[in-house]
Amino acid sequence: MSLHPDRVGRLKLASHLVIVAGNPNAGKTTLFNSLTGSTQKVANYPGVTVESVEGQYTFAGESIRCVDVPGLYSLKAASEDERVATDVILGRQEGKPELVVYVLDATNLERNLFLFTQIAESQVPMVIALTMPDRLQARGKTVDLERLQSELGVPVVSVVAHEDRKLESLKQAISDALRDKPIPAIDFGLPEGMQSTIRKLSERLARIGVDASQAEIRRNLYEPPELFQRFLEDFPEIAEPFTEARNRLEAEDLLRPSVDVTSRYEWSAKIQSLVLRDAAKPAKVISITDRLDKVLTHRFWGLTIFVLVMYGVFQSIYTVAAPMMAGIEDVFGRLQDAIRPMVSQNEILESFIIDGLIAGVGGMLVFLPQILILFFFIAVLEGSGYLARAAFLMDRLLGWCGLNGRAFIPFLSSYACAIPGIMAARVMPDSKSRLATILVAPLMSCSARLPVYVLLIGTFIEPQYGAFWAGFSLFAMHLLGLVVAIPVVYVLNRKMLKARRLPFVLELPPYQWPKWRDIWLTLVNRGKVFVKTAGTIIVFMSILIWAAASFPRFSPADPVAEAAKFGVAEERAEQWVQEKQLENSILGRFGKAIEPVFIPAGFDWRITTAILSAFPARETIVPSLGIIFSLGGEVDESSGDLQSAMKKATWPDGRPLFTVWTAVGLMVFFALCAQCMATLATVKRETNSWKWAVFMFCYMTALAYVGAVAVNYLGKLFGA
Amino acid sequence: MSAVAGMTFADLKSGMSARVIAVDENCLDSRRLQEMGFTVGTQFSVVKVAPMGDPIEILVRGYRICLRKNECHCIQIESVG
């Protein structure tokens, strides 16, 4: 038996499987992008939020499949991302890798070699890609490649990621290594007591027919308690000898992580001193990075520039995206007009194709401009090194409630739209804080809420209370989500995601020009991920909602005559049919059925149905109200007809339906609710589970309901 | 300058140099901090402190890392030089 279980079964290995692994910021992704280019596929590892990126290339007639694992500092997996990376490197995910390409940052040898010692123990064939030799040279040092190669026992290739000529020699080394299988041969001094315990355990295991290397035994013995427990559960038949050995190490005070970590770092420091040489050219006295940092992390200029940069980014999300979004809507409007005559012989088919399918696909693609623009900026900010500085500046502000300095990107973007905001939570370094960020991001007041606010403020607040209170309520609505998000994220971190947080570590990599290939691949991958996975769900749900609002059909043979029976004038017959259709549909019936639930909030079945039909997207409440008040679906938020219809609407006993408090309650409801299926679909995609999408919908709807009821009761207390 | 014993990261100022003198291994954060290179005897220096007082950027083992002061309480340090 072997100590490598195949947790998800071995995938088909049509070609060679190569893992690209290394420390964060070692230049791993840039190297991976240069190797595999546009062949990349993004997917989630089963059951976790961590993404895997896979690509391939062909060299000398051989097809090489590469997997880019998340950057990690140690195989003693501390975060979910690190655990996934560890599982892949150690062959617990898709079978043992044929080769690990270990990305070694020449400017950070000591710490990078620490992780190398851990991977080396798994006895997997390895090739070292030594990155950033140019940057090391600027510091007045070089690496003696031959010496490094002989110390580590595996081939070392120096690469500058944007010089493709050097990549050829890496590809050559990979192909050679797939044939020769070079295994690292290193020896760092361990205390005698540790070695003898491991030796004895190895002999004992051999007697019961378990063949495991001493390194493998040592790695498992030195797992943190929870992982050691998991290991024992996976292999109950060897639990006893392992537990005994671990107890012996503990008794001899050799189980402390420091014994293990210190011996590795001593070895790393020794290797570094052996291979580093003075370069011909001496170092620059002060690097460009230090000079830039003097300004960009300055307590006044740094913060000023940060605000300006963020303002620029989010201004362009609005202004650059708006015409593109209008263009998409225009194209889909024309498409509807062009196709309508082809399907008009069948009323249901027409409605399905035009209002269900085409509207659904258009309503999904309209998010793409914002997503791509935001990720363009994220890629530039990240690739240049500025994002890390911004996190450095902002960490204090966001750190106390369990987030960290990077969370401002997803939060600010969510003010434009929660979809790119949730996707931008990828900038968060670990999956716990990423999840917390995703779950509260949709509380930020996105631009789709604006039509709701404009309609209600314009109808019930501005005419009565004037421009000051109109402006104040608009501002208050935008602040509400942020204010509510703070306790929510605090509770989420304390109660639900209470798995221990790691100490926050942030590296400030040297400034550099972002690489076009990296930016381009970020955009391609994010676009594909959204359209393929989230997009499919959005279109499917649009069609479901269309069906709920369209069936059962209300289509009298002679609409005008039917309308006349109810005293409706001929020219209003079409709108009247639309209203009856919605009232008669599954959605309308459901709205009537749950009216009692919303009575405490002061909403009748008409408001309730409009809320329900706004599930696809908040702003669709405006046309839905138009239909319900018999004005047809063509109204917009500044329509005078809709405003006066809402003012005139009454309860059956003649009281006005809308008071100013009902209007505020409805705005609070929309500020806090999760009425946006694109958001829910994106949460499903990004967290890789419906569980969190459903959780988000429930908690936000509960908050929205409580908020609306509270406003209604305040209204009763203070009168209006 | 004589070493002041019993310092923690909270006492660090920009430009200071310090050495790790003890790591509390009962503390859960200690493993990660040691893996980042803060083993007993390691010297490091403070590059800069963020405008709002936290985090701090540290030069250790030839590389730079930012840490939050209150997340390093399991490491005892003394100032050097």
Side-chain angles (χ1 to χ4, degrees):
Chain A
M1 102 178 220
S2 134
L3 296 187
H4 294 288
D6 280 0
R7 280 173 202 283
V8 288
R10 197 175 269 267
L11 293 184
K12 289 193 301 276
L13 294 183
S15 50
H16 295 293
L17 175 65
V18 170
I19 305 288
V20 182
N23 272 198
N25 296 305
K28 188 170 61 66
T29 299
T30 298
L31 179 70
F32 181 78
N33 285 347
S34 320
L35 278 176
T36 61
S38 58
T39 66
Q40 295 179 8
K41 285 192 186 65
V42 182
N44 271 94
Y45 286 106
V48 292
T49 68
V50 183
E51 270 184 347
S52 82
V53 186
E54 205 184 297
Q56 58 172 52
Y57 68 87
T58 309
F59 183 79
E62 265 183 317
S63 164
I64 313 284
R65 195 164 71 101
C66 298
V67 175
D68 182 22
V69 299
L72 74 171
Y73 291 117
S74 160
L75 286 192
K76 301 293 170 192
S79 70
E80 187 171 70
D81 301 61
E82 284 190 319
R83 194 167 64 237
V84 167
T86 304
D87 283 352
V88 174
I89 293 166
L90 299 182
R92 293 170 184 159
Q93 276 279 355
E94 334 191 328
K96 205 166 182 182
E98 273 179 88
L99 182 73
V100 170
V101 175
Y102 186 70
V103 181
L104 186 67
D105 177 354
T107 64
N108 192 353
L109 281 178
E110 221 172 308
R111 198 195 69 204
N112 279 238
L113 284 171
F114 171 80
L115 177 61
F116 172 82
T117 66
Q118 294 184 325
I119 300 179
E121 280 181 305
S122 76
Q123 300 287 292
V124 61
M126 255 207 243
V127 166
I128 307 274
L130 186 77
T131 52
M132 320 210 194
D134 45 342
R135 201 174 280 163
L136 184 68
Q137 211 141 30
R139 295 189 192 170
K141 300 270 180 196
T142 57
V143 173
D144 180 340
L145 287 182
E146 268 170 42
R147 186 68 197 261
L148 184 61
Q149 195 158 305
S150 74
E151 290 296 335
L152 306 184
V154 290
V156 179
V157 182
S158 165
V159 289
V160 181
H162 53 265
E163 284 179 19
D164 289 347
R165 181 173 44 85
K166 295 266 176 79
L167 272 185
E168 292 303 302
S169 47
L170 178 62
K171 287 177 180 172
Q172 184 66 56
I174 290 172
S175 291
D176 293 346
L178 283 166
R179 203 177 46 246
D180 306 339
K181 309 219 170 293
I183 305 242
I186 54 171
D187 179 30
F188 41 95
L190 290 168
E192 177 48 37
M194 190 195 279
Q195 287 184 19
S196 76
T197 302
I198 291 166
R199 208 164 39 236
K200 278 179 204 145
L201 177 56
S202 164
E203 286 159 9
R204 192 171 160 189
L205 291 175
R207 280 200 295 278
I208 57 170
V210 178
D211 177 31
S213 72
Q214 297 204 355
E216 215 169 1
I217 291 172
R218 189 159 96 93
R219 190 180 59 245
N220 285 304
L221 272 178
Y222 274 82
E223 291 286 20
E226 61 277 25
L227 290 179
F228 185 66
Q229 212 52 46
R230 189 177 95 170
F231 168 74
L232 295 185
E233 282 158 18
D234 284 345
F235 301 100
E237 58 278 38
I238 52 169
E240 198 194 309
F242 263 90
T243 313
E244 277 174 20
R246 191 161 154 123
N247 290 344
R248 191 171 328 129
L249 287 174
E250 182 142 37
E252 291 168 26
D253 201 24
L254 292 170
L255 196 61
R256 288 179 295 123
S258 62
V259 178
D260 178 77
V261 173
T262 308
S263 61
R264 289 172 199 274
Y265 261 114
E266 276 168 7
W267 178 86
S268 299
K270 189 187 85 193
I271 299 298
Q272 167 163 298
S273 66
L274 288 175
V275 303
L276 274 192
R277 304 265 182 275
D278 285 328
K281 266 195 296 182
K284 294 187 190 125
V285 183
I286 302 175
S287 70
I288 297 167
T289 291
D290 284 333
R291 261 185 272 173
L292 276 172
D293 263 349
K294 279 224 156 42
V295 179
L296 293 179
T297 61
H298 185 267
R299 79 178 54 228
F300 176 74
W301 293 114
L303 291 171
T304 311
I305 292 168
F306 168 78
V307 171
L308 290 177
V309 168
M310 287 304 122
Y311 179 78
V313 168
F314 294 101
Q315 190 61 30
S316 39
I317 292 180
Y318 279 107
T319 53
V320 181
M324 295 164 97
M325 292 164 80
I328 291 176
E329 278 166 358
D330 186 52
V331 166
F332 276 82
R334 280 162 200 257
L335 194 63
Q336 286 173 322
D337 293 342
I339 289 182
R340 197 183 297 274
M342 298 179 218
V343 289
S344 59
Q345 68 280 20
N346 182 326
E347 187 221 353
I348 294 179
L349 183 70
E350 179 188 344
S351 176
F352 170 73
I353 301 275
I354 306 295
D355 303 329
L357 193 61
I358 299 180
V361 173
M364 180 271 286
L365 287 179
V366 83
F367 291 112
L368 215 46
Q370 288 187 336
I371 291 172
L372 295 182
I373 291 169
L374 179 62
F375 273 94
F376 169 78
F377 284 115
I378 289 179
V380 170
L381 295 177
E382 184 124 55
S384 64
Y386 185 73
L387 191 63
R389 270 71 186 186
F392 180 70
L393 294 174
M394 286 297 110
D395 187 63
R396 189 69 189 269
L397 217 55
L398 291 156
W400 65 274
C401 57
L403 297 172
N404 65 56
R406 288 168 172 255
F408 65 87
I409 293 259
F411 283 160
L412 277 181
S413 349
S414 294
Y415 270 98
C417 175
I419 316 301
I422 288 165
M423 292 176 72
R426 295 241 144 253
V427 300
M428 304 295 285
D430 70 292
S431 43
K432 290 287 171 212
S433 54
R434 184 183 311 148
L435 188 54
T437 309
I438 287 173
L439 289 176
V440 294
L443 283 171
M444 304 307 128
S445 194
C446 67
S447 51
R449 287 157 165 114
L450 202 55
V452 187
Y453 300 155
V454 168
L455 171 69
L456 291 164
I457 291 174
T459 309
F460 298 103
I461 294 178
E462 200 181 355
Q464 274 167 282
Y465 300 95
F468 173 79
W469 287 105
F472 175 81
S473 25
L474 190 62
F475 175 73
M477 284 301 141
H478 279 86
L479 199 63
L480 179 66
L482 184 63
V483 170
V484 171
I486 292 169
V488 169
V489 85
Y490 192 81
V491 170
L492 278 174
N493 270 309
R494 285 295 152 105
K495 300 289 173 203
M496 300 203 49
L497 312 171
K498 60 184 163 214
R500 191 176 65 81
R501 277 197 307 120
L502 287 169
F504 172 72
V505 294
L506 171 72
E507 290 183 66
L508 305 184
Y511 291 105
Q512 59 183 353
W513 289 109
K515 299 188 177 59
W516 288 111
R517 176 160 36 202
D518 293 349
I519 297 173
W520 171 243
L521 287 173
T522 303
L523 296 188
V524 170
N525 287 343
R526 285 306 118 198
K528 271 200 227 161
V529 157
F530 174 74
V531 173
K532 270 198 201 156
T533 51
T536 314
I537 302 170
I538 295 170
V539 172
F540 179 70
M541 284 161 87
S542 315
I543 291 172
L544 274 187
I545 294 289
W546 164 83
S550 308
F551 294 99
R553 297 301 290 169
F554 176 79
S555 49
D558 184 355
V560 176
E562 187 72 22
K565 282 189 210 160
F566 293 86
V568 176
E570 188 181 336
E571 66 272 16
R572 302 201 57 80
E574 199 188 325
Q575 284 94 330
W576 179 80
V577 170
Q578 277 190 26
E579 182 206 333
K580 289 295 158 195
Q581 170 63 60
L582 184 56
E583 186 181 344
N584 190 44
S585 69
I586 299 173
L587 208 63
R589 291 175 196 206
F590 187 56
K592 277 189 182 165
I594 63 167
E595 184 185 40
V597 178
F598 280 92
I599 289 286
F603 300 164
D604 76 339
W605 73 268
R606 286 172 290 189
I607 302 181
T608 311
T609 305
I611 290 175
L612 288 179
S613 61
F615 175 68
R618 295 180 181 85
E619 69 273 23
T620 58
I621 194 178
V622 177
S624 298
L625 285 170
I627 291 172
I628 283 182
F629 290 109
S630 217
L631 299 164
E634 304 298 310
V635 294
D636 68 20
E637 62 270 21
S638 49
S639 152
D641 287 346
L642 181 56
Q643 294 190 347
S644 63
M646 287 168 67
K647 280 183 187 165
K648 276 187 228 145
T650 58
W651 291 93
D653 62 10
R655 280 181 298 128
L657 173 59
F658 279 98
T659 66
V660 68
W661 295 97
T662 321
V664 172
L666 190 55
M667 284 197 286
V668 167
F669 188 90
F670 268 83
L672 300 178
C673 71
Q675 298 288 92
C676 176
M677 64 184 181
T679 298
L680 298 173
T682 308
V683 170
K684 193 280 166 185
R685 161 64 186 78
E686 294 294 310
T687 63
N688 197 18
S689 117
W690 277 109
K691 181 179 80 175
W692 292 113
V694 170
F695 169 78
M696 171 188 282
F697 179 76
C698 294
Y699 102 77
M700 286 180 70
T701 306
L703 278 180
Y705 179 78
V706 170
V709 171
V711 170
N712 192 38
Y713 273 86
L714 280 178
K716 286 195 175 138
L717 269 182
F718 297 105
Chain B
M1 191 183 126
S2 69
V4 184
M7 276 174 63
T8 68
F9 276 58
D11 305 311
L12 289 171
K13 304 266 180 303
S14 187
M16 271 172 82
S17 292
R19 183 192 295 123
V20 177
I21 51 174
V23 178
D24 175 7
E25 299 218 44
N26 295 318
C27 159
L28 287 167
D29 291 343
S30 68
R31 176 190 281 269
R32 171 48 41 111
L33 293 169
Q34 290 187 73
E35 286 168 345
M36 301 307 289
F38 292 90
T39 55
V40 172
T42 308
Q43 273 203 38
F44 60 88
S45 60
V46 182
V47 181
K48 58 177 168 273
V49 179
M52 288 181 244
D54 218 9
I56 52 177
E57 192 185 11
I58 289 168
L59 176 66
V60 60
R61 293 191 185 267
Y63 82 98
R64 292 170 178 201
I65 190 83
C66 306
L67 297 166
R68 290 179 185 155
K69 291 174 180 174
N70 68 342
E71 289 179 347
C72 303
H73 54 80
C74 52
I75 295 185
Q76 251 188 57
I77 54 174
E78 63 179 8
S79 82
V80 291

mmCIF file of all heavy atoms in Angstrom, chain A residues 251 302 522 540 684 709:
data_model
loop_
_atom_site.group_PDB
_atom_site.id
_atom_site.type_symbol
_atom_site.label_atom_id
_atom_site.label_comp_id
_atom_site.label_asym_id
_atom_site.label_seq_id
_atom_site.Cartn_x
_atom_site.Cartn_y
_atom_site.Cartn_z
ATOM 1 N N ALA A 251 7.764 13.408 23.953
ATOM 2 C CA ALA A 251 8.409 13.214 25.256
ATOM 3 C C ALA A 251 9.852 13.718 25.222
ATOM 4 O O ALA A 251 10.368 14.243 26.205
ATOM 5 C CB ALA A 251 8.355 11.734 25.646
ATOM 6 N N GLY A 302 0.746 59.175 0.123
ATOM 7 C CA GLY A 302 0.312 57.806 -0.166
ATOM 8 C C GLY A 302 -1.197 57.692 -0.121
ATOM 9 O O GLY A 302 -1.827 57.149 -1.036
ATOM 10 N N THR A 522 -5.904 37.269 -17.756
ATOM 11 C CA THR A 522 -6.855 37.511 -16.667
ATOM 12 C C THR A 522 -8.230 37.820 -17.244
ATOM 13 O O THR A 522 -9.238 37.254 -16.814
ATOM 14 C CB THR A 522 -6.403 38.726 -15.810
ATOM 15 O OG1 THR A 522 -5.090 38.466 -15.326
ATOM 16 C CG2 THR A 522 -7.335 38.961 -14.643
ATOM 17 N N PHE A 540 -30.841 30.531 -17.322
ATOM 18 C CA PHE A 540 -31.808 29.522 -16.908
ATOM 19 C C PHE A 540 -32.820 30.116 -15.927
ATOM 20 O O PHE A 540 -34.033 29.926 -16.062
ATOM 21 C CB PHE A 540 -31.053 28.352 -16.262
ATOM 22 C CG PHE A 540 -31.938 27.255 -15.779
ATOM 23 C CD1 PHE A 540 -32.601 26.432 -16.676
ATOM 24 C CD2 PHE A 540 -32.119 27.042 -14.416
ATOM 25 C CE1 PHE A 540 -33.427 25.418 -16.232
ATOM 26 C CE2 PHE A 540 -32.943 26.030 -13.956
ATOM 27 C CZ PHE A 540 -33.594 25.218 -14.868
ATOM 28 N N LYS A 684 -22.680 31.447 -6.337
ATOM 29 C CA LYS A 684 -22.609 29.989 -6.522
ATOM 30 C C LYS A 684 -21.315 29.626 -7.251
ATOM 31 O O LYS A 684 -20.587 28.716 -6.854
ATOM 32 C CB LYS A 684 -23.824 29.534 -7.320
ATOM 33 C CG LYS A 684 -24.085 28.034 -7.360
ATOM 34 C CD LYS A 684 -23.241 27.293 -8.331
ATOM 35 C CE LYS A 684 -23.241 25.818 -8.177
ATOM 36 N NZ LYS A 684 -22.306 25.173 -9.081
ATOM 37 N N VAL A 709 -40.199 46.173 8.047
ATOM 38 C CA VAL A 709 -41.184 46.133 9.131
ATOM 39 C C VAL A 709 -40.852 47.211 10.170
ATOM 40 O O VAL A 709 -41.739 47.926 10.647
ATOM 41 C CB VAL A 709 -41.219 44.722 9.775
ATOM 42 C CG1 VAL A 709 -42.065 44.734 11.039
ATOM 43 C CG2 VAL A 709 -41.767 43.711 8.775
#
